[in-house]
Amino acid sequence: TSTTTETSTCSSAPPAANWCTSRTSATRRRRTFPRATTPCNFPLGVIGALWLGYFAFVRGNKALPLEKRLRIRALVTQIALVGSYLVYPAVSSKVFRALRPCLELDEKYGGSKTWFRDDFSLPCDSSKYEFMRAFAVLMVFVWPFGVPAVYF
């Protein structure tokens, strides 16, 4: 059996981050990749895996008749386009929200530090924030501008 200790300490994050509440040490885990980038990565991974499967198993398989390979290609294309269409509004919104200016809090909430608006555990002067911001700029060209370009 694992033992968990009850903690009730406050980190340097503002109270809006709910870090000053009682949590067990087993449920708290460190994130190495900012949570704000996950909505961009998951759909890209699914669509990429779909196309990778097509290229690995269908395109190079000369045993399949050409007509069947073309039907599978059309199906994979249709699934990728419909899937990207369904997640496009949410992912684009998340990408643009990551580019908003940081939130500066009053002295009573930890000084004049600035915090990322979507994840109050991420200070704007950290390297994780800089990485997330650069990733969001890249994702602007992939999702809000790249997906409609692929449709046309």
Side-chain angles (χ1 to χ4, degrees):
T1 63
S2 66
T3 61
T4 59
T5 58
E6 193 75 23
T7 59
S8 180
T9 60
C10 295
S11 69
S12 62
N18 287 335
W19 280 61
C20 293
T21 59
S22 178
R23 292 181 167 188
T24 59
S25 60
T27 59
R28 189 178 357 174
R29 62 178 205 267
R30 301 191 87 193
R31 289 189 316 267
T32 57
F33 200 65
R35 180 180 11 195
T37 60
T38 305
C40 301
N41 298 336
F42 182 73
L44 283 178
V46 170
I47 292 170
L50 189 66
W51 277 105
L52 183 64
Y54 166 74
F55 282 116
F57 299 111
V58 177
R59 187 169 185 219
N61 188 356
K62 301 297 181 191
L64 286 175
L66 179 63
E67 182 180 317
K68 187 167 185 164
R69 283 186 291 179
L70 292 176
R71 273 198 321 246
I72 293 172
R73 178 179 166 193
L75 179 65
V76 167
T77 303
Q78 186 177 12
I79 290 171
L81 288 175
V82 168
S84 66
Y85 176 77
L86 291 175
V87 299
Y88 177 77
V91 172
S92 295
S93 172
K94 191 72 166 179
V95 166
F96 285 125
R97 279 197 330 242
L99 297 175
R100 293 187 304 179
C102 292
L103 180 66
E104 187 170 343
L105 297 176
D106 296 338
E107 284 292 322
K108 68 179 184 176
Y109 294 119
S112 60
K113 285 186 92 173
T114 55
W115 300 94
F116 179 52
R117 290 178 186 263
D118 286 351
D119 185 0
F120 280 108
S121 67
L122 190 62
C124 288
D125 58 355
S126 68
S127 61
K128 285 183 184 179
Y129 174 77
E130 293 299 324
F131 171 77
M132 190 271 316
R133 184 105 170 156
F135 188 78
V137 169
L138 174 70
M139 287 296 114
V140 163
F141 294 105
V142 172
W143 282 106
F145 298 127
V147 169
V150 169
Y151 290 158
F152 296 106

